[in-house]
Amino acid sequence: MPADALPSLAEQQAALNALEGLESRKAQLHAEGMALRAEITRLWSSCRSGTAEMEVAGTALVGQIRAARELEDAARLVKNFPQLNALLAEGTVFVPTVDTILLATRRCTAEVQAGVDARLAGQLVGCNVTDVRRLVASTVLAVEAEIDATLTQERLDQAKKDARVWVSPGADGMTSIGAVLDAVVGRRWALDFEQLVRAQVVLDKRAGRERSLDAVKAEVFAHLPTLVLELVRAARDGRLAELAQLSELDPQTAAELEQLALETLDLPLPEEPPAHEEESDAIAEALVEEDPFDEDLLALDPWAGLPWVPIEPPAQDPPEPEPPPFVAAAQDAAFWRAAQPPGEKDPYVEVLMLRCLQMPLQTPTTVHLHLPMATALDLTDAPGILEGHGPLDARRIRQLLPDAHLKEVYVDRDSGVPL
């Protein structure tokens, strides 16, 4: 491409300015929509519950749940966030920032929301969504601590009721799994999961297997329930000592066991054998068929005299590589697993457990929490910071202190940055 055809810096900047102007107009239009929804909430306030939601859902062509959420957010924005609403109407603050603040303050009281609006309005211009989320989280805790420390406890207790795990079927034969957990529990889960992933990466290197980190994470995540259940069963049966001894294998045997488990994952398994002999006999009888070949019928076949030469399948180029020897062993393990009587050892699952026991894990996992000493001494309700998550309220911090190892760190009194 000739040099004169390349876009100039001025053209690139003009495109970015146009995009910024478009986002500003979207913010202004969004402010108009929120004001109108707040007015609809007021006009339908005397009607029975749900009427306004149904009217908005039918007009905007959205679901009633979404319509109800939009009406609630609009009313809160107009009433409790006047400064934020003004910035939105001016196009100075964009829509994602407003949505982030409304979502983060949904369970806060009207007084706390107004306090957050008064503190944050001047800091939001030019702030990206990630920084806004962190800023709102710490500001909410600070405002609640000043008004009434029990507000934080009530809000978080209500939020814990929404803890859940969901499994949803996805496209292309995939499944989506998600969870909402307590902040400390979630952080500990994340650290433990990262450790398992690092250990599996080490096992992959020993076995000479190359794959993406996302593929490793998906496999570790998928195996977690099975491994826990089987290890519990092994503990109840007194087999943990045996498994621990088996896990001390030479590298070659360990690699073969690892590859065996991986190859068995995708193998088609035969159906479980029937539980009763009567069912087995019936199936056996049903599978017995007489030879359908009949010479008399063959003589009536109009194509019987035509020459027929079987067509050989085309040769593969390049030829398909021979499967490694552990594939046959994996196939045997898969069939053995299906034919195993109830209560017998499952070789496939034991291979998974052996892989789990061979993981080079570091213990214990440490969750880092940064807190003011005044909060630890119950002199203030100032929040702390849960590393990898964000601000954490004083009450939750004090619950963790009895099991914590404290380390003194001197920080700047204004910014909190370690000196």
Side-chain angles (χ1 to χ4, degrees), residues 294-304:
D294 190 331
E295 293 185 357
D296 295 334
L297 291 176
L298 177 62
L300 302 176
D301 187 356
W303 291 278

Side-chain angles (χ1 to χ4, degrees), residues 382-406:
I385 300 294
L386 177 62
E387 191 173 284
H389 171 78
L392 195 67
D393 63 289
R395 170 177 168 267
R396 191 74 174 96
I397 290 173
R398 296 188 188 107
Q399 291 176 344
L400 299 173
L401 286 180
D403 298 324
H405 297 281
L406 298 181

Side-chain angles (χ1 to χ4, degrees), residues 53-244:
E53 289 88 334
M54 288 190 294
E55 295 293 345
V56 171
T59 302
L61 303 180
V62 296
Q64 291 189 30
I65 295 178
R66 176 175 174 178
R69 184 177 68 250
E70 291 177 347
L71 290 173
E72 179 189 355
D73 287 347
R76 290 194 298 120
L77 177 64
V78 172
K79 183 178 180 180
N80 302 333
F81 295 91
Q83 297 187 45
L84 177 63
N85 190 30
L87 293 174
L88 181 68
E90 295 170 2
T92 308
V93 169
F94 296 161
V95 176
T97 295
V98 175
D99 290 343
T100 299
I101 295 175
L102 291 176
L103 177 62
T105 58
R106 184 161 291 163
R107 291 191 178 89
C108 296
T109 64
E111 186 179 6
V112 172
Q113 293 180 39
V116 171
D117 180 62
R119 289 196 179 196
L120 289 187
Q123 307 177 50
L124 297 176
V125 178
C127 197
N128 63 50
V129 173
T130 301
D131 292 337
V132 168
R133 187 178 295 111
R134 295 171 181 167
L135 193 59
V136 172
S138 59
T139 304
V140 165
L141 292 175
V143 171
E144 288 177 335
E146 291 179 1
I147 297 175
D148 186 354
T150 61
L151 293 176
T152 301
Q153 178 179 343
E154 293 172 357
R155 176 173 57 84
L156 298 184
D157 288 345
Q158 184 64 32
K160 285 184 177 181
K161 297 179 181 179
D162 291 338
R164 63 192 185 277
V165 175
W166 66 89
V167 180
S168 302
D172 303 323
M174 305 300 286
T175 299
S176 298
I177 302 176
V180 176
L181 304 173
D182 172 82
V184 178
V185 174
R187 180 57 181 163
R188 180 58 185 263
W189 187 95
L191 291 173
D192 290 344
F193 181 71
E194 290 172 4
Q195 189 172 171
L196 289 174
V197 170
R198 288 194 298 268
Q200 183 59 53
V201 169
V202 173
L203 294 182
D204 281 3
K205 290 181 179 179
R206 291 176 182 173
R209 187 182 189 193
E210 296 183 2
R211 51 179 173 166
S212 68
L213 183 60
D214 284 338
V216 176
K217 289 182 177 180
E219 180 182 284
V220 172
F221 182 85
H223 286 162
L224 286 178
T226 300
L227 288 175
V228 171
L229 287 174
E230 293 303 325
L231 286 173
V232 169
R233 293 190 181 105
R236 290 178 177 176
D237 297 340
R239 293 187 290 117
L240 279 183
E242 175 188 351
L243 289 171

